Amino acid sequence: MRYLILLTALLVMNRAPEVNSTHKEKEPGKPNIILIMADDMGFSDIGCYGGEIKTPHIDNLAKEGIRFNRFYNNAWCSPSRASLITGLYPQQVGLTALAGPDPGPPGPYQGYLNDHCVTLAEVLKGAGYYTAMAGKWHLGERQPHWPLDRGFDNYFGLISGAANYFDITKTKSPGITRYMALDDKPFHPPAKGFYMTDAITSYALQILDKQKTQSQPFFLYVAYTAPHWPLQAMPEDIARYAKEYDMGWDSIRARRYDRLIQMGIINNKTTLSPRDTGVKPWATLPAKTRKEMAEKMAVYAAQVDRMDQGIGQILDKLKQTGKDENTMVIFLSDNGGCAEGGPAGFDKRHNGLPPGGADSYFSYGQSWANASNTPFRYFKKWLGEGGISTPLIVRWPAMIAKQRHGQVLEQVGHITDIMPTLCALSGARYPAYYKDKKILPPEGQSLLPAIEKGTVQPRKPVFWFLDGHKAILAGNYKLEAADNGAPWELYNLEDRSESDNLSVTAAHKVKELSTQWENWAKRVGVSVEQSK
């Protein structure tokens, strides 16, 4: 039972990845890259960011590397993944909203990567890298918009968004189809013995196995679906958290907040944000409700735990290749904890089953999302700090000095920074033209100086627009509006809980930053109607 994906692994092995022989030989010192992304994981869920979930392998990455405490994503799945893989804002590449099975008209909402961008795989392949991906794509569901169409030599995983972990044919609503692929062909998991997190790990291990005898540098992108709903985990993992959450979200938030301060991830100028609207005090809930909600969080924790186990296997395999010393490993999440389903979450099946199995379909809801994003306010799809803040961990033994291991870096970064960082790391040239198409210049900036030396670099303003929500971060000031037509709110992020709105007392700053945001919006294609 421990390795429930054995059958899947055997099927995948029938088409084991082959290294593209047309690539250049590895240049001396050129580092390998493993980029790992979690799905819907909150800022404080993992141990090295204050959480109680058992994540020893991710924690060890932080212990042997560095942690960023002010790194930002785009608050939603496809927009974040688009920026991660292109270095551009999602509006520029056609993914202002989610990728879907039916492409929209050309433009910001077309639902797949356009041809005015390049991916990390395309750029790194030009620098002599072998490129592979395991996991969730969600950047175009129809061919020719799959990973192999965008520079990856090999791929296995979920083309679509959220899916049942055990059986992808079981979805939250009738008529919704989820797609998986192996390279450029559809892949149909076996009816038994399949678990999505393990399947992703298994393929990543196969990729690394092939690297033992290769001199070519590699780029491996591992995009887990965990811990995105539905709440479905292995029984032995759920059992580890059977009583962990009986204390409730209020106590969990308080404990995480204290640990975040002790770790230096936040300072005491950042207060613990109030409970989100609609979240009730734990002590006021009926005993039955407390039991049900504690069970939901236990399954969520088990999903994170299983992902961490997989990451441990990947790191062990990397060490076996003898290439761990000169491999940069990066870990982050695509957005904050997910509040979908309201304070109590949802049960789409209404069948009375507890969360965890293939025939249940729960989310953990706004109440636990509020805890996942401790100490911040808001959550996925919102531009408060809880929606856009992610852990960022970087380990690179060949360059990050041992005396800096465990460092918490006060560096502002954004998900668009990954592209220029990896270009600088690899020596790859970001092209002005690709396949005869003019390519937009990258929006991010390299974090390599901060990674190599631990010195904080100034960061140019970062911008967001998502479903009517809008924001700009410039230095310590953040201007945001919660919805179409909502007034601007201004915060000094010395207190990242955003508890003191300065929009009235610093009206000049509101005008300055809102003008910058409007200029950016026009440049990247946010229409006036969308932004009001």
Side-chain angles (χ1 to χ4, degrees), residues 339-357:
E340 291 171 13
F346 60 67
D347 175 8
K348 289 289 184 181
R349 297 199 179 277
H350 303 289
N351 53 16
L353 294 173

Side-chain angles (χ1 to χ4, degrees), residues 7 92 148 267 332 438 494 526:
L7 181 55
Q92 297 172 293
L148 264 63
N267 59 45
L332 74 165
K438 188 174 182 179
E494 287 187 0
V526 176

Side-chain angles (χ1 to χ4, degrees), residues 57 61 310-320 329 395:
H57 305 294
L61 278 179
I311 291 171
Q313 293 174 49
I314 289 170
L315 297 176
D316 286 345
K317 183 67 70 175
L318 176 64
K319 191 169 185 179
Q320 291 171 22
V329 180
R395 189 191 74 173

Side-chain angles (χ1 to χ4, degrees), residues 46-51 59 67 256-266 406-408:
I46 55 179
C48 55
Y49 279 77
D59 297 349
R67 283 167 288 177
R256 290 189 180 191
Y257 176 74
D258 289 343
R259 284 194 291 265
L260 283 162
I261 290 179
Q262 292 166 11
M263 291 176 172
I265 304 292
I266 60 173
Q407 179 186 15
V408 175

Side-chain angles (χ1 to χ4, degrees), residues 117 214 511:
C117 65
Q214 303 298 325
K511 184 176 181 180

